[in-house]
Amino acid sequence: MNETSDFSAAGELVCPAGTPAALRTAVDAGADSVYCGFRNATNARNFPGLNFTAEELEASVAYAHARGARVLLALNTYPPAGKVGLWRDAADIGVRAGVDAFIVADMGVAHYIAETHPGARLHLSVQAAASSPEAIRYYCQHFGVRRVVLPRILTIPEIREIKREIPCEIETFVFGNHGLMVEGRCSLTNWLTGQSTNMDGVCSPASDVTYEREADGSMRSCLAGFTIDAFGPEENAGYPTICKGRYVAPHRPEGYYAFEEPVSLNLGRLLPELMAAGVHAFKIEGRQRSKSYVRSVVSNFRRAVDDIRAGAEPNLADLVALTEGQKETQGAFKSKKWR
Amino acid sequence: MNAPDAAVGPPPGRMMPVGLMCTALRPVLGRVVRRIAAHHPEMFARIAPYETADFVIVPKELPFALHLRPEPSAPMLRAVPKDRLPPFHACIEGRFLLLLELVDGESDGDAAFFSRDLTISGNTEAVVSLRNALDDIDGSVAQETADLFGPPGRAVLNILRRRSGRQ
């Protein structure tokens, strides 16, 4: 564990990395912190070919620290009952690698780290879905949590109110997945595939995803054999997740987004308001995305945060080409009537 | 294994030149893939479950496709006529310059998928594994390939990059 890490500067940019190359790209593009996970079920992006070995993590931590950046290890899934060994081992490896903080969701994992590695810094994952002062204070009091990653369902005035009532830092997502489900509780993938987003670490596992192309250029995305959306030849597509599927129902025979639309969060224009509300760190979603995405998004938000710190208007480039469905929203942060 | 898609076939009348082109490219592509494999052995761990899988990569505007099998001990990359695609586990189709940028870490595959500029079929997990393996390579695979062929290779790459607006 790196005990000397300085987390004091507000406006910390927390950036994703699915591979060591992406981590180096994020650091070089101006990330203050980079979050990543191991190649197993201990994190919520347990995708094929993605993530880090213990050796890769250790080398990546050295790379980041040499350039003044921090590494946060995501252990943000829930161990099945009685099978906590993988998560405990991951925490021990993270400490040996010198990570700067752990991002946890499960109370058992938090308890283990707090007891076994009392110097370790704990951040509460969005997967814990802690959105009330009472819930957040509970994690702070019992496990020494120093930062909460808030669910993406709160307005800025609500965040400001929460900040007044909790003893820890706040991190909010500012770009990427819109994430309106009760995070850490969603069982839609489990329902169709038998794999758990929250315990196996994979939402819509690629092994169960197929794309069926029709002669006219239209495309169906399917999960475990069920069609979850169909796109016309020129229509923008989204991820093959059930929550963003389009369904036919007796009252909506034309098909409709029953849960949420394929659209990405982009709070670039709200950064000053978020900082004024007491948000300490800005998180960019996308450990499953490429180096190209990391480079573009991180460098843009780096400039924006630096502009704000210099008292200037943030000048963000157009990132809509990188967004899901090629559409973006400020979601609940702007108004709970965003739909 | 998936059957080839007849929709990606070439215009009629170009069969012989394409066949000859594929034959001529075979030693060149073989050299390229062996070089990349030798320089980036770490990528194979990310694609280990699919190292014997057959990937077909279809550049839309070229008369041939590429057949890749990322086997560490004997990596294979060859050009194949579009009307004679081999059986494949996964197929990736897009503009040639987009595919080049994806391999080079200069474009984002998810964004290209969202905009429908990139089409995938067959085994999605194999495609995701290949994408992540390639994305963990530092530097430019295209540049490495061009360097392999000296000044002529670099000249061709510069022309391609100018066309894609990267220079």
Side-chain angles (χ1 to χ4, degrees):
Chain A
M1 199 73 191
N2 181 25
E3 306 268 0
T4 60
S5 296
D6 176 17
F7 283 88
S8 62
E12 176 187 331
L13 206 50
V14 183
C15 305
T19 63
L23 183 143
R24 293 189 288 273
T25 299
V27 169
D28 295 347
D32 295 306
S33 301
V34 186
Y35 63 105
C36 57
F38 287 127
R39 290 186 201 179
N40 56 38
T42 57
N43 76 94
R45 288 286 183 272
N46 182 19
F47 293 178
L50 204 69
N51 293 322
F52 291 62
T53 63
E55 294 76 20
E56 287 171 341
L57 179 67
E58 191 171 344
S60 298
V61 168
Y63 184 92
H65 286 178
R67 290 155 183 80
R70 294 174 288 272
V71 176
L72 318 180
L73 182 61
L75 301 179
N76 58 345
T77 43
Y78 292 86
K83 296 180 180 174
V84 296
L86 187 65
W87 280 256
R88 291 180 175 182
D89 290 346
D92 297 343
I93 293 167
V95 168
R96 286 199 296 275
V99 301
D100 299 279
F102 293 96
I103 306 169
V104 300
D106 180 72
M107 290 186 196
V109 175
H111 175 76
Y112 173 78
I113 297 174
E115 289 288 310
T116 313
H117 307 290
R121 182 181 171 98
L122 290 181
H123 294 180
L124 189 62
S125 169
V126 71
Q127 286 286 97
S131 57
S132 70
E134 293 81 5
I136 297 165
R137 282 200 301 265
Y138 181 86
Y139 286 97
C140 295
Q141 182 183 344
H142 291 277
F143 310 110
V145 162
R146 310 269 293 276
R147 176 182 298 178
V148 59
V149 185
L150 287 179
R152 289 158 269 198
I153 55 169
L154 299 163
T155 64
I156 292 179
E158 286 173 331
I159 293 172
R160 188 181 296 115
E161 289 301 313
I162 287 173
K163 176 61 185 170
R164 292 193 184 112
E165 298 184 48
I166 61 172
C168 69
E169 299 165 354
I170 287 178
E171 180 174 305
T172 57
F173 282 91
V174 293
F175 193 85
N177 183 24
H178 194 190
L180 299 175
M181 310 301 283
V182 181
E183 296 185 72
R185 311 290 185 271
C186 178
S187 294
L188 289 174
T189 282
N190 200 332
W191 179 52
L192 280 196
T193 71
Q195 291 196 65
S196 166
T197 302
N198 308 311
M199 292 190 286
D200 297 312
V202 57
C203 172
S204 285
S207 55
D208 286 287
V209 172
T210 53
Y211 298 104
E212 308 294 340
R213 199 161 32 140
E214 309 297 340
D216 66 353
S218 60
M219 177 183 76
R220 286 187 299 121
S221 55
C222 305
L223 184 67
F226 293 91
T227 299
I228 57 175
D229 210 341
F231 305 96
E234 303 296 328
E235 192 178 8
N236 290 327
Y239 281 121
T241 55
I242 302 171
C243 58
K244 289 166 186 167
R246 208 163 12 177
Y247 304 97
V248 175
H251 65 296
R252 298 291 293 271
E254 75 282 12
Y256 76 119
Y257 294 107
F259 301 97
E260 57 176 302
E261 296 178 25
V263 58
S264 289
L265 190 71
N266 186 351
L267 303 188
R269 290 185 181 83
L270 298 181
L271 296 181
E273 288 178 60
L274 289 165
M275 288 175 89
V279 172
H280 187 90
F282 299 130
K283 183 167 222 153
I284 295 167
E285 186 270 348
R287 283 193 286 133
Q288 76 283 11
R289 299 293 289 266
S290 66
K291 292 190 304 252
S292 169
Y293 166 95
V294 169
R295 189 183 304 116
S296 296
V297 179
V298 174
S299 58
N300 266 290
F301 274 89
R302 174 76 276 155
R303 279 196 299 274
V305 169
D306 289 347
D307 286 345
I308 295 166
R309 285 174 173 168
E313 279 288 308
N315 182 21
L316 265 171
D318 187 356
L319 296 171
V320 74
L322 292 169
T323 58
E324 183 175 9
Q326 314 271 279
K327 287 186 290 188
E328 54 189 26
T329 179
Q330 295 176 328
F333 291 85
K334 188 68 177 175
S335 162
K336 293 225 170 164
K337 297 178 180 173
W338 75 93
R339 291 188 77 175
Chain B
M1 293 285 261
N2 286 44
D5 184 348
V8 297
R14 301 186 64 178
M15 198 70 73
M16 277 308 290
V18 174
L20 285 173
M21 196 184 302
C22 292
T23 304
L25 282 171
R26 197 157 288 189
V28 175
L29 293 172
R31 194 174 160 204
V32 166
V33 75
R34 285 192 296 275
R35 162 82 167 228
I36 293 168
H39 279 216
H40 305 284
E42 71 283 356
M43 70 175 282
F44 290 106
R46 295 188 182 275
I47 200 171
Y50 295 101
E51 63 185 28
T52 58
D54 291 291
F55 295 86
V56 166
I57 300 155
V58 184
K60 279 185 177 171
E61 63 276 62
L62 296 189
F64 56 85
L66 297 169
H67 175 201
L68 170 71
R69 190 181 299 145
E71 199 168 355
S73 57
M76 189 263 283
L77 179 68
R78 64 181 182 130
V80 290
K82 282 184 174 175
D83 67 338
R84 277 178 275 160
L85 295 182
F88 57 81
H89 293 88
C91 179
I92 305 164
E93 186 177 353
R95 288 177 294 104
F96 174 70
L97 291 175
L98 171 65
L99 296 169
L100 190 69
E101 288 175 6
L102 290 171
V103 168
D104 240 3
E106 293 294 335
S107 277
D108 180 69
D110 290 19
F113 172 80
F114 296 149
S115 64
R116 307 291 299 280
D117 291 320
L118 190 72
T119 304
I120 64 173
S121 55
N123 187 323
T124 306
E125 186 171 74
V127 175
V128 172
S129 301
L130 177 64
R131 188 275 304 267
N132 289 332
L134 289 171
D135 205 58
D136 193 36
I137 292 177
D138 275 324
S140 165
V141 172
Q143 189 64 54
E144 280 184 43
T145 303
D147 290 343
L148 195 60
F149 301 101
R154 286 190 280 274
V156 169
L157 181 61
N158 286 338
I159 291 168
L160 292 173
R161 283 178 169 165
R162 273 198 294 276
R163 283 188 186 174
S164 70
R166 284 170 53 197
Q167 269 189 0

